[in-house]
Every structure is written in C-alpha cells, then in structure tokens.
Amino acid sequence: MHHATPLINTIVGGLVLAFLLGMLANRLRISPLVGYLAAGVLVGPFTPGFVADTSLAPELAELGVILLMFGVGLHFSLKDLMSVKHIAIPGAIAQITVATLLGMLFSRFMDWPLLNGLVFGLCLSTASTVVLLRALEERQLIDSRRGQIAIGWLIVEDLVMVLTLVLMPAFGDMLGSNQAISQELWTGLAITIGKVVAFITLMIVVGRRVVPWVLAKTASTGSRELFTLAVLALALGIAFGAVELFDVSFALGAFFAGVVLNESELSHRAAHDTLPLRDAFAVLFFVSVGMLFDPMILIKEPLAVLGTLAIILFGKSAAAFIFVKLFGLSNRTSLTISVSLAQIGEFAFILAGLGIYLGMLSEQGRNLVLAGAILSIMINPLMFALLERYLARDDNDSEKDHDKIEAEVAQIPLEICHHVLLVGYGRVGSLIGAKLNQAGVPMVVVENTRSRVDALREQGINVVLGNAAKAEIMSLARLDCARWLLLTIPNGFEAGEIVALAREKRPDLKIVARAHYDDEVTYIADRGATQVVMGEREIANSMIALLQLEMQEAQPESCPI
C-alpha cells in the first residue's frame, strides 16, 4: 500500500471494506452498522494486514457527526426543542448521575481509585449521536414525540459533557489535593455556562437572520454547486466556530446551525444536497470506532467487559425508563427512549482520552470503555428489533390511550374504496391533493414525515404514515381497491420499486409516476407504470403550447390586394 496518501488510503480502505461487510450483514438480516464496525476492526492497528491512519479516521468521523446533526437541526424547530425541555433536562441529568454512580461502584470491585471510577462512569453515561439518530431515522421516529424527547435528551447530554470536559482538569486537581471546591472551579463553571448561553443566543438572534439570508442569496445565483458549497460552509463553519470561540461541541454547533435554517424555505433543499455526504461520513464514524477496538480484551477480561456492558445496556437504560415513566408517559415512549440510550459513543472516547492525558483514567479503564462502546453499538439494533416486536404484540388499551395523547396514533386499514392513492405530500403532492379535495375525489395519502401526517389528520384527510415500498403500508392505504396510484416522490428509483409492488398486487391499476431524468422514466415504465411524467418535459410542452397560442392570437389578418 502506498503510504504517501494516508487520507486517500483511509477513506478508500474504510469505505470499500464497510460496503462489503455492510452488504454481508444485510444479507444475514442484521444491521449494516455491524458490518461497518467490523470493517473498522479489520483496518485497525490490532489486526494484521492493512492499517488505516488512526489519527485521520476520527477527524473524518467528526465530519459525519457535524453533517448528521446539521441535518437533524433542519427538521427540528426551536418549538420542538422547548416542548420537551421539562422531560429532557431533568431526565438526562438524573440518568447521567445514575450511570456515573454505577461506574464508580464498578470501580470499587476493580480496585480503582475514586477519580478513575468517576471518569469511567461519566464515559458510560452519554449516548452516541450517530447511533441514536440512525436508529430513529430508520424507524421514522425523528418527527415523533418519542423522537423529539430522545433528541432533546441527547442535546442536554452534550451540554453536560461540554461542561465536564472543561471542568475535568480543575476537578482533578481539587480531588488530588483533597481541597474544598475552589473559587477557580466555580469561575470555570460560570464561564463555560456563559459561553454556551452566548452561543445559543447568538444563533437564535443573529443566526436566524444571517444563515437563511446567505443561502437565499446563494440560491439566487442559480448555481447548484455554490448552493451546496454554501450549505457545507455554513454547517462546518458554524460547528468549527462553536468549538473555537465558545468551547461548544461540534455536534451542538452543527445542530443549532440546522435549527436556525429550519424556518427557511430552502431547508428541504439543503437537507437533500447534504444527504450523500452525511451518509458517507457517518459510515466512516463507525469504521473509526471499530479501529479503536482491541479484540484481545474479550479474552483477557471477559467479566469486566460484561460488567461494563451491563451498566450501558441495563443500568442507565433502566434509569432512563424510570425517569420517563415518572413524567406519566407511556411504556412505548419510555422503552423507546431507554433503548435509544443503551449505547455509548463519541463523548465516551473524548472523555476517556482526556482522562488518560490528565492521569484520571487507567489504560484498563479506557479499553473497557472502548469495548463497551463497540459491543453496545452492535447490540443496539437488536434491542430495537426486540422492542418493535414487543410493541407490535402489545394490545394494552391503556397504552394506546397514552399514545394517542402523545400523537402516536395507531394505524388501522382505512374504510375506503375507489379512491386515489397519493404517495408523497411534498410540493407536487400537496398541489395534487388540493385539486382532488376541491373536486371531491376520495383520496388516501401515504407520507413518511410525521409532521405532515399530523397536519393532514388535523385537516380530516385520510393518511397513512410509512414507506409506500412496504406491502403492509400499502395494505393499510387500501391498495386492493384503489382506482388510481399517483407517485409524487422525487426519487425515481424508489418510485420504481413502489410501482413494481403495486403492479404485482393490482395488474389492472392505473399508475402515474413522477420522474426527473430519462433513465428514471425508463426504470419506472419497465416496472409497470401506466404513465411517467417527467417535469422538464411537461414544462417544455406547456411553454411551447403557450407560445403557439400567442402566435395564433397575434396572427395578422390577411390584407386585401
């Protein structure tokens, strides 16, 4: 391997191996995350063969965290954030406290010093941003009440960890010299809180005006490259500025950059343009986590690894479940949040690294933190799968009543027939839906965005929440007796899969789909669409028709000779 290009080597080696093992994991019906982590182990320094650059990989992974949190911020308004503060703030602080105490108790059995146990417990107390958001995205929970609480909880954890990173050196000195809490510690705490408040205030007061204005000016140039570059520059620039100027984490800075852009009309375009980069760098995050793992610790210290894993999977999850239940929320919400937090990630590595540097954590402790992170991230998708089975089987009436209060409305097959089945209610779908409503045509909408579904239900429109590519979702929308199927989603290849599913169930159904490119038109038509509408062609035809009409109206009368 040519070592003069460590950045290229790391990106290529990590992504190629992650793709291969991710595909293998998918074939084995387990989460692709397991494949990405295994790829990291294989390119890490603890296994033979090619070794990626262990200093570059974490920085590349940090880019994934920044872009992912920016994307979440684009779909998460300040109103949503404030609506869960009464649960997220006390719940996250209490859960961090319990996990830290469990880590300190564990350290007593390991004969570690008190300071070592404190740092170890803090490392186990905070969940991974990337893992939690990936789990919520896959299950379409980000826009749900459960998802909002989990994300708010995550933001509070990030803020607590930012304070912890700043105060650790002073706190270590204080405990090391057995002195009372010093003035320096209180001063450091006040300065850190002040910086966080200053950053958030700056983003809300100034950022809400400047960020949308910059993107609007860039969009007006008509250059797609400049717009994408502006989105990346703002996301990365604000995240970097948050760290350098306010000592706030990259993730928190990027999140608020997205939040201030949320109210702009360009937020959906910004989210769409950054999606491929977010996915690619998120994969590198998991690869970089795998690179830190030394598999030999499973053989050398199996009981210690199991104890660490028990704190992560059961200790802090049970604490989160209890605290959410104390607020009167349902088992469905409590279990979802507790399972979401049953893993550790980015801040655990940062805290462990700082603990090693300050002499507050042993090498053994850091190895156990890394082992706990790897194993908990691998196990987390399995816990979500078990949770979904449990929730699907649970028919408790009181549970459903709780979920209605939380707007988690149970979906049942609609009593409707001879209707238009409209997939997607974005810019195109909403225009079609409005026309159908005006004409009194019966309609069912299939939409995977929670906020849109809630808005449609408030308007009395028949709607099913979910992905139309799934047979059970189309069954709920009564594909079996629909008259028309209209696909307005912008992804032509996803539309093709929906067409194939619908055509298999209903050979006689009239299907009209939307496409952007010639290859999408062919793809969708080959799968059985009755007609495929390509936006650019229809615009051209309409303009020509208007031109011909005006030419006819302007035709001069024949002059007599």
Side-chain angles (χ1 to χ4, degrees):
M1 182 66 67
H2 185 53
H3 295 288
T5 55
L7 177 62
I8 296 176
N9 292 349
T10 301
I11 293 176
V12 173
L15 290 180
V16 169
L17 203 54
F19 166 70
L20 295 175
L21 295 181
M23 287 293 291
L24 177 62
N26 189 63
R27 289 293 298 272
L28 296 175
R29 296 177 181 265
I30 57 179
S31 173
L33 299 187
V34 177
Y36 306 155
L37 292 166
V41 174
L42 291 180
V43 300
F46 303 105
T47 53
F50 167 68
V51 177
D53 192 307
T54 53
S55 62
L56 283 175
E59 292 192 40
L60 293 172
E62 196 70 65
L63 288 174
V65 175
I66 292 171
L67 294 173
L68 192 67
M69 287 300 288
F70 178 70
V72 171
L74 288 173
H75 301 287
F76 205 85
S77 67
L78 288 170
K79 181 181 177 182
D80 295 333
L81 194 59
M82 297 306 293
S83 68
V84 299
K85 67 180 186 300
H86 65 287
I87 301 174
I89 294 175
I93 293 173
Q95 177 249 298
I96 289 172
T97 301
V98 170
T100 303
L101 291 174
L102 289 173
M104 294 174 70
L105 180 64
F106 177 83
S107 70
R108 296 291 300 272
F109 292 99
M110 299 294 291
D111 293 325
W112 292 346
L114 175 64
L115 207 55
N116 203 328
L118 176 64
V119 176
F120 180 75
L122 286 169
C123 290
L124 305 186
S125 67
T126 178
S128 165
T129 299
V130 179
V131 175
L132 184 140
L133 294 179
R134 273 298 178 88
L136 295 178
E137 281 182 341
E138 287 176 2
R139 291 155 185 84
Q140 300 170 359
L141 291 175
I142 283 186
D143 293 318
S144 70
R145 177 67 171 171
R146 290 180 280 166
Q148 290 173 356
I149 294 173
I151 293 172
W153 198 295
L154 186 81
I155 297 302
V156 176
E157 283 192 349
D158 278 1
L159 288 171
V160 172
M161 290 303 112
V162 167
L163 294 174
T164 302
L165 290 171
V166 174
L167 297 177
M168 267 179 64
F171 195 66
D173 292 340
M174 182 193 74
L175 289 182
S177 57
N178 295 319
Q179 296 176 357
I181 297 178
S182 64
Q183 183 66 33
E184 181 183 350
L185 186 64
W186 287 115
T187 303
L189 179 62
I191 291 174
T192 303
I193 293 176
K195 286 181 176 180
V196 172
V197 171
F199 169 73
I200 295 175
T201 303
L202 181 67
M203 292 304 298
I204 293 174
V205 175
V206 180
R208 289 177 75 178
R209 295 171 174 82
V210 174
V211 172
W213 179 82
V214 170
L215 284 186
K217 286 294 183 182
T218 308
S220 67
T221 65
S223 171
R224 183 170 183 175
E225 294 83 0
L226 278 176
F227 181 81
T228 304
L229 184 59
V231 173
L232 293 175
L234 286 169
L236 299 176
I238 291 174
F240 183 77
V243 173
E244 292 295 314
L245 301 178
F246 298 94
D247 292 324
V248 177
S249 68
F250 283 118
L252 202 64
F255 174 77
F256 276 99
V259 167
V260 298
L261 184 58
N262 174 269
E263 298 174 9
S264 168
E265 295 178 355
L266 296 168
S267 60
H268 292 294
R269 182 177 169 188
H272 178 268
D273 285 1
T274 56
L275 184 61
L277 282 173
R278 293 206 318 259
D279 289 343
F281 282 106
V283 169
L284 287 176
F285 165 79
F286 293 105
V287 173
S288 71
V289 172
M291 289 171 61
L292 298 171
F293 182 53
D294 183 1
M296 290 303 296
I297 195 173
L298 300 177
I299 299 173
K300 294 178 180 178
E301 301 181 68
L303 294 180
V305 171
L306 287 175
T308 303
L309 200 57
I311 294 174
I312 298 169
L313 298 182
F314 305 112
K316 71 171 189 170
S317 294
F321 177 83
I322 292 170
F323 292 131
V324 176
K325 286 293 291 181
L326 288 176
F327 286 96
L329 299 182
S330 66
N331 284 336
R332 181 182 298 269
T333 298
S334 302
L335 287 170
T336 300
I337 293 172
S338 61
V339 170
S340 298
L341 301 173
Q343 37 78 20
I344 59 174
E346 309 91 273
F347 270 111
F349 311 141
I350 298 171
L351 283 171
L354 182 60
I356 291 288
Y357 175 75
L358 297 173
M360 298 169 67
L361 183 68
S362 65
E363 287 287 347
Q364 183 188 24
R366 181 173 69 173
N367 290 336
L368 289 175
V369 169
L370 296 176
I374 290 285
L375 295 175
S376 65
I377 290 173
M378 286 184 170
I379 294 171
N380 195 250
L382 300 178
M383 294 181 68
F384 261 107
L386 292 174
L387 174 63
E388 288 177 336
R389 287 187 181 182
Y390 169 76
L391 295 179
R393 192 173 61 247
D394 186 11
D395 293 324
N396 190 296
D397 288 336
S398 63
E399 177 76 6
K400 290 181 180 179
D401 292 339
H402 276 301
D403 287 346
K404 281 187 178 181
I405 293 173
E406 299 173 35
E408 300 287 345
V409 181
Q411 297 191 99
I412 58 175
L414 298 169
E415 295 182 3
I416 190 172
C417 265
H418 306 294
H419 58 288
V420 174
L421 187 50
L422 179 60
V423 177
Y425 210 78
R427 291 180 299 171
V428 176
S430 59
L431 293 173
I432 295 173
K435 294 291 185 182
L436 292 175
N437 266 334
Q438 290 176 7
V441 177
M443 171 183 66
V444 174
V445 176
V446 178
E447 173 59 57
N448 61 7
T449 303
R450 164 66 64 176
S451 57
R452 288 178 183 168
V453 170
D454 291 340
L456 289 169
R457 282 177 175 155
E458 288 178 3
Q459 298 171 33
I461 296 175
N462 295 314
V463 60
V464 174
L465 172 65
N467 188 339
K470 295 182 178 179
E472 60 270 23
I473 297 298
M474 296 299 272
S475 177
L476 291 172
R478 298 304 305 270
L479 173 68
D480 59 318
C481 63
R483 184 178 178 185
W484 287 86
L485 172 60
L486 305 181
L487 299 167
T488 69
I489 56 176
N491 188 327
F493 292 99
E494 182 182 354
E497 296 306 307
I498 299 171
V499 168
L501 169 67
R503 185 57 72 204
E504 181 182 353
K505 302 288 185 182
R506 289 284 309 280
D508 60 326
L509 183 65
K510 295 179 180 179
I511 304 175
V512 179
R514 167 192 178 189
H516 281 295
Y517 305 103
D518 291 328
D519 56 346
E520 290 181 348
V521 172
T522 305
Y523 184 82
I524 297 171
D526 288 347
R527 272 147 185 78
T530 309
Q531 187 173 350
V532 183
V533 178
M534 184 174 167
E536 288 76 4
R537 290 179 184 173
E538 295 305 315
I539 292 171
N541 291 336
S542 297
M543 293 178 75
I544 291 296
L546 289 170
L547 180 62
Q548 290 175 345
L549 179 62
E550 290 185 3
M551 290 174 64
Q552 290 174 3
E553 291 177 351
Q555 187 76 27
E557 297 181 3
S558 57
C559 298
I561 300 177

